[in-house]
Amino acid sequence: MSCCDLAAAGQLGKAGIMASDCEPALNQAESRNPTLERYLGALREAKNDSEQFAALLLVTKAVKAGDIDAKTRRRIFDAVGFTFPNRLLTTKEAPDGCPDHVLRALGVALLACFCSDPELAGHPQVLNKIPILSTFLTARGDPDDAARRSMIDDTYQCLTAVAGTPRGPRHLIAGGTVSALCQAYLGHGYGFDQALALLVGLLAAAETQCWKEAEPDLLAVLRGLSEDFQKAEDASKFELCQLLPLFLPPTTVPSECLRDLQAGLARILGSKLSSWQRNPALKLAARLAHACGSDWIPAGSSGSKFLALLVNLACVEVRLALEETGTEVKEDVVTACYALMELGIQECTRCEQSLLKEPQKVQLVSIMKEAIGAVIHHLQQVGPEKQKEPFVFASVRILGAWLAEETSSLRKEVCQLLPFLVRYAKTLYEEAEEANDLSQQVATLAISPTAPGPTWPGDALRLLLPGWCHLTVEDGPREILIKEGAPSLLCKYFLQQWELTSPGHDTSVLPDSVEIGLQTCCHIFLNLVVTAPGLIKRDACFTSLMNTLMTSLPALVQQSGRLLLAANVATLGLLMARLLSTSPALQGTPASRGFFAAAILFLSQSHVARATPGSEQAVLALSPDYEGVWADLQELWFLGMQAFTGCVPLLPWLAPAALRSRWPQELLQLLGSVSPNSVKPEMVAAYQGVLVELARANRLCREAMRLQAGEETASHYRMAALEQCLSEP
C-alpha cells in the first residue's frame, strides 16, 4: 500500500471529528450506503495489517464525513478495535517512501475518531495512550507538513475528549500532559492556541493537581502571558485579563510577573474604557489583591496613585450597581470590587509602611463610606428568600471588614441593619454546611474557579465579630444586639467553635481564623460583663459558657503557642465568676478548683527575676513565653489580676486554695529577690491587690506571708495596705 493510500485512510479520523456536529438518523444512513456495510464486513474479517489498511481505505472512500454518527463510529471501532491503532502508534518502521510519522498519524486519527464517543474517550486503552499522545505535542518536524499538522490536530482532539470525561483531567495530569501543553504553548508552533485552551480547562478542573505536577512549566507560561499582557497594545490585553487569573499559582507569584501585571493593569485602568473592557481588569486586580494583598503594587508615588485609582474605581462600580434600582447587578464584578475595597480598608488602617499618604487615606475613607452606604442600602432590601445567595454573603463580608475598623460613621444606618445581620448570621450558623458552601461560592464569584490564596472565613458570624466587638461598647447598638438575641447566638457559636480546639481534634490543621474568632468572642463577652452585668446573671447561656471556660482552661494553659487565647479565657472566666459567685458550679467543685488553679498559673508565670551584668540585684522581667505577646496580653493580665482580687472575698474556699498553690509565698519571694526600682507602679498595685485580699480572707495566708518576710517586702515597695493587714492579728 502506498504512502498516499495511508494518508487517505487517515481521513477517517477527520470524518469522525467533523461528524461531531452532525446527527443524521442511523437507519437512513445505512439504507443509503449498503456499500459501507460491505466494507465494514471486510474490515472485521481482515487477517493482517495490509488487509486492514485496504479495508480502512475502502471505508474512508465509502463514507462522507457528514454521514458518520455516533453509532456508525462505534461500529467502525468494533471492527478495528484498539490493537491495530496501538501498533500504528508504537511502530518505528514506515513503508518505503513514507515519513516515519505517517503511521503514527493514522493511529492518532483512528483514536480521534473513537474519542468522539465519550464512553471510548474514557476507555483504559485510550487513557494509557496519554503519555504517547503528549509527546506528539512537542515533537520536532517540518512545521509545514500537512500530515504532521493533521496529527497534531487529532492529538488535541483526543486529549480534549479525555479531559471531558469525569476522571479524564486526573489521568491527563498524571500522564504529563500539563507539562507538554505548556511546552507546546511556549514553543508557539502549530496548534499552540489549542494547547492554551486545553490548559485553561485543566486548571479550571484541577488547579491544585496541575500546579503540583507541573509548577515550573506553568510558571513559565505565566511569565510569558504576563510579558505579553504588559506589552499588548491591542484588544488581546482584554482577553489576557480573563485568562491570567487561572494561571496565578496557589503559592508565591514571581516578582517579575507581578511587575508586568501591575504595569499592564495600570495602563488599562488609567484609560477611558467601556464596561466590557474595564470589568475583566478589575477582576484580575481583585484576584491579585486576594492572593498577594498589596505586595504586587510598587511603593512610591506611582504605586499609591495606582492603589487609589483601583479603590476609587471599585467604589464607583459598587455605587452604580447597588444604588440604581431596576438594573441587573453584575455580581461577579461587584464582588471583585469588594475585594479591592478590602485592600483599601487594610491600607487605610495600616500605620507602618502603608502605600498611601495621609491625604489619600482621608479621601479614600470618604469614598469607601459612600460605597458602604450603598452596600447597606442593598442589604436592607434583601428578603428571606435571597439570604442564601452568594452575593449577599459577599456584601455582608465587605460590611464586616468595614465595621471591624470603622463604626462611628453611618451609625444610624448600621443600627437599622443590625436586626437583619443578627438574623442572617443566625440562619447561616444553624446551617453551617451551607454557610461554608456559600463562602466557596463567593470566592468563585469574585476571584477564580478555585480561589487560591488566603482562605475566606466560612461563616457570616465570624465576619461580623470584630464589628460587633466595637458596637457592644456603645449603648445604642449594644441594646439592639441584646434585644435581637446576639449574646445567646455568640455563646452557642463560641461553644461550637471551642469544640474544634478540644482534645481529639488536630488543632494544627485549624485555620488561624478559628482561634482569632474565639478571642474576638471573648472580647465581646468582656464588654458585656462590664457594660451589661445583669445580662450575664440572668441569661442561662452564660452559665453554660462559664462551665466550658472552667473545664477548658486547665488544659489550655499547658499548650504552647496558645497563651493569648488562654489569657482571654482566664480573664473572661474570672470576671464572670465575680458575677456568678453564688452559682453552685463555683462552690469549690472540682471544675472550679481546676479553673482557678489554671488561672493562678497564668497570672503567676508572667514575670521572673533576671540577673543583670554588673548589678548585685536582679530585676523583674517578663518570662520568655510572655515576652513576644505581652503587648497584646498585658491589658488582659492586669484585668485578670483585678478580677481574681474581686473573687477572693466572694469565694471562701479560694484563699486556702491559693495558699496551697504557694502563689502568695512565691510572689513575695519574687518581689524580695528583685530591685524595687525594676517593678513598675502598676505592677506593685496589681500584686498588692491580690496579696491584701488573700491576707484579709484567711488567717493562714497572713501567717504564711509573715513567714515569707511579707511585712518587710511591703515596706520596701510602699505597699501600705498590705503592711497594715499583716501587722494585724
Side-chain angles (χ1 to χ4, degrees):
M1 180 168 287
S2 71
C3 186
C4 294
D5 289 338
L6 291 175
Q11 294 305 308
L12 181 63
K14 292 295 174 289
I17 295 169
M18 296 175 62
S20 60
D21 299 325
C22 305
E23 296 182 356
L26 177 62
N27 293 335
Q28 291 179 354
E30 291 178 351
S31 63
R32 288 198 307 265
N33 200 345
T35 304
L36 172 62
E37 297 306 306
R38 188 167 63 254
Y39 292 161
L40 284 175
L43 186 58
R44 285 191 294 268
E45 296 171 3
K47 296 182 175 60
N48 52 48
D49 289 351
S50 296
E51 292 182 5
Q52 282 192 312
F53 273 127
L56 277 173
L57 181 59
L58 293 172
V59 169
T60 303
K61 292 179 177 179
V63 178
K64 296 180 181 179
D67 286 337
I68 293 186
D69 61 6
K71 291 185 178 180
T72 304
R73 281 195 298 273
R74 187 57 183 254
R75 295 178 64 202
I76 295 174
F77 164 73
D78 291 338
V80 177
F82 279 114
T83 303
F84 185 49
N86 289 349
R87 290 207 303 276
L88 291 173
L89 290 172
T90 57
T91 186
K92 297 181 180 179
E93 296 182 3
D96 293 340
C98 287
D100 58 4
H101 63 268
V102 169
L103 293 179
R104 293 195 296 273
L106 178 56
V108 177
L110 287 170
L111 283 183
C113 176
F114 299 157
C115 285
S116 300
D117 183 338
E119 184 178 342
L120 292 178
H123 193 284
Q125 286 286 349
V126 172
L127 299 178
N128 65 22
K129 303 299 181 299
I130 289 174
I132 298 176
L133 293 172
S134 297
T135 63
F136 296 163
L137 300 179
T138 56
R140 296 181 179 179
D142 182 359
D144 296 323
D145 187 325
R148 185 176 293 279
R149 290 192 171 200
S150 175
M151 183 175 73
I152 291 173
D153 285 336
D154 289 336
T155 300
Y156 282 117
Q157 175 74 13
C158 293
L159 297 176
T160 302
V162 171
T165 64
R167 302 174 68 180
R170 187 183 72 177
H171 287 288
L172 290 173
I173 294 167
T177 302
V178 176
S179 292
L181 290 170
C182 291
Q183 294 167 25
Y185 174 75
L186 293 170
H188 275 65
Y190 179 76
F192 79 98
D193 53 337
Q194 298 181 70
L196 185 62
L198 188 49
L199 267 178
V200 168
L202 290 176
L203 283 167
E207 181 194 40
T208 302
Q209 292 85 346
C210 287
W211 280 100
K212 183 178 179 180
E213 290 293 329
E215 181 173 347
D217 295 302
L218 285 169
L219 286 176
V221 173
L222 174 61
R223 290 187 182 95
L225 292 173
S226 301
E227 187 175 348
D228 292 344
F229 179 62
Q230 193 271 337
K231 294 178 179 178
E233 298 291 345
D234 55 12
S236 65
K237 59 188 176 184
F238 304 115
E239 297 173 3
L240 287 168
C241 275
Q242 297 176 328
L243 283 179
L244 279 162
L246 288 163
F247 285 89
L248 295 178
T251 53
T252 305
V253 182
S255 58
E256 64 270 26
C257 296
L258 293 177
R259 194 163 49 246
D260 287 340
L261 293 172
Q262 189 275 330
L265 282 171
R267 283 210 313 274
I268 290 176
L269 295 174
S271 307
K272 290 185 177 180
L273 303 170
S274 61
S275 60
W276 74 266
Q277 295 170 321
R278 181 177 60 251
N279 292 346
L282 290 173
K283 292 170 73 174
L284 174 58
R287 174 65 178 81
L288 288 167
H290 185 59
C292 309
S294 60
D295 293 344
W296 62 288
I297 301 175
S301 175
S302 63
S304 64
K305 289 180 180 178
F306 174 70
L307 176 58
L309 173 65
L310 269 184
V311 179
N312 206 329
L313 288 173
C315 290
V316 169
E317 191 70 33
V318 168
R319 291 190 63 189
L320 288 174
L322 301 184
E323 288 181 349
E324 294 182 7
T325 57
T327 59
E328 184 179 355
V329 177
K330 295 179 179 177
E331 296 179 350
D332 57 338
V333 177
V334 176
T335 308
C337 291
Y338 287 166
L340 296 175
M341 287 175 60
E342 279 199 54
L343 180 62
I345 292 170
Q346 292 167 9
E347 286 300 315
C348 285
T349 55
R350 180 180 293 183
C351 298
E352 298 180 359
Q353 297 182 332
S354 174
L355 292 172
L356 299 169
K357 297 178 181 178
E358 203 58 37
Q360 290 174 313
K361 291 183 178 181
V362 173
Q363 183 183 19
L364 285 183
V365 167
S366 176
I367 294 170
M368 287 190 289
K369 175 183 173 182
E370 294 175 348
I372 292 296
V375 174
I376 293 175
H377 171 74
H378 172 74
L379 290 174
Q380 287 171 335
Q381 318 305 315
V382 173
E385 72 282 356
K386 292 188 176 182
Q387 285 193 9
K388 296 180 183 178
E389 293 183 0
F391 184 64
V392 175
F393 188 93
S395 300
V396 170
R397 174 186 167 87
I398 186 60
L399 177 60
W402 172 264
L403 292 177
E405 305 295 343
E406 173 58 60
T407 56
S408 58
S409 61
L410 300 171
R411 183 176 302 179
K412 178 181 177 182
E413 292 83 352
V414 170
C415 286
Q416 291 174 342
L417 191 65
L418 277 179
F420 164 80
L421 293 177
V422 175
R423 291 193 301 271
Y424 181 77
K426 183 178 180 181
T427 299
L428 265 63
Y429 167 74
E430 291 174 347
E431 302 174 15
E433 290 185 3
E434 290 192 27
N436 188 61
D437 182 58
L438 271 179
S439 177
Q440 295 303 315
Q441 291 181 52
V442 168
T444 301
L445 183 68
I447 310 300
S448 74
T450 48
T455 303
W456 288 38
D459 58 77
L461 191 51
R462 191 178 301 161
L463 306 176
L464 296 168
L465 289 177
W468 286 7
C469 187
H470 298 315
L471 292 170
T472 48
V473 177
E474 305 175 25
D475 292 340
R478 182 177 62 252
E479 291 175 4
I480 296 173
L481 288 169
I482 292 174
K483 179 182 177 181
E484 296 296 329
S488 176
L489 173 62
L490 288 169
C491 283
K492 293 177 183 177
Y493 178 78
F494 181 90
L495 297 177
Q496 183 259 343
Q497 292 290 294
W498 190 264
E499 281 297 313
L500 299 176
T501 69
S502 62
H505 292 80
D506 184 3
T507 56
S508 64
V509 300
L510 285 178
D512 293 339
S513 56
V514 172
E515 190 149 318
I516 293 172
L518 288 170
Q519 293 176 24
T520 310
C521 280
C522 287
H523 296 166
I524 295 174
F525 295 141
L526 286 170
N527 290 341
L528 294 175
V529 167
V530 174
T531 60
L535 174 69
I536 308 299
K537 293 179 180 180
R538 68 174 180 267
D539 199 321
C541 71
F542 288 101
T543 301
S544 299
L545 176 61
M546 185 70 213
N547 290 334
T548 297
L549 299 179
M550 288 195 298
T551 56
S552 302
L553 185 62
L556 184 60
V557 295
Q558 303 293 339
Q559 298 175 19
S560 62
R562 308 190 74 192
L563 185 56
L564 194 54
L565 181 58
N568 278 277
V569 170
T571 304
L572 175 60
L574 290 169
L575 285 168
M576 289 180 62
R578 287 196 312 181
L579 299 176
L580 302 175
S581 60
T582 58
S583 169
L586 286 163
Q587 307 310 311
T589 61
S592 62
R593 290 180 181 275
F595 169 78
F596 276 94
I600 289 172
L601 194 64
F602 159 67
L603 296 171
S604 65
Q605 293 187 339
S606 61
H607 291 77
V608 294
R610 182 174 297 169
T612 55
S615 176
E616 295 182 359
Q617 263 192 313
V619 297
L620 189 70
L622 285 168
S623 61
D625 289 341
Y626 286 67
E627 280 183 316
V629 293
W630 185 249
D632 299 317
L633 194 69
Q634 59 177 335
E635 185 176 351
L636 290 169
W637 186 87
F638 281 108
L639 193 56
M641 291 287 285
Q642 181 183 352
F644 185 93
T645 300
C647 287
V648 172
L650 299 174
L651 301 171
W653 60 269
L654 184 53
L659 183 61
R660 286 192 295 274
S661 75
R662 295 193 54 79
W663 184 25
Q665 301 96 308
E666 291 174 357
L667 180 51
L668 288 169
Q669 184 180 4
L670 174 65
L671 292 173
S673 65
V674 301
S675 168
N677 292 332
S678 69
V679 186
K680 295 179 180 179
E682 60 267 26
M683 293 294 298
V684 173
Y687 285 148
Q688 179 177 225
V690 169
L691 292 170
V692 166
E693 287 301 330
L694 289 174
R696 287 174 178 170
N698 186 271
R699 177 181 58 81
L700 295 178
C701 280
R702 291 194 295 275
E703 293 177 358
M705 291 182 195
R706 293 190 190 106
L707 293 175
Q708 196 63 49
E711 291 177 273
E712 181 181 353
T713 301
S715 176
H716 285 161
Y717 285 89
R718 298 180 180 180
M719 296 179 176
L722 178 60
E723 191 173 6
Q724 179 181 353
C725 184
L726 293 180
S727 66
E728 298 173 354

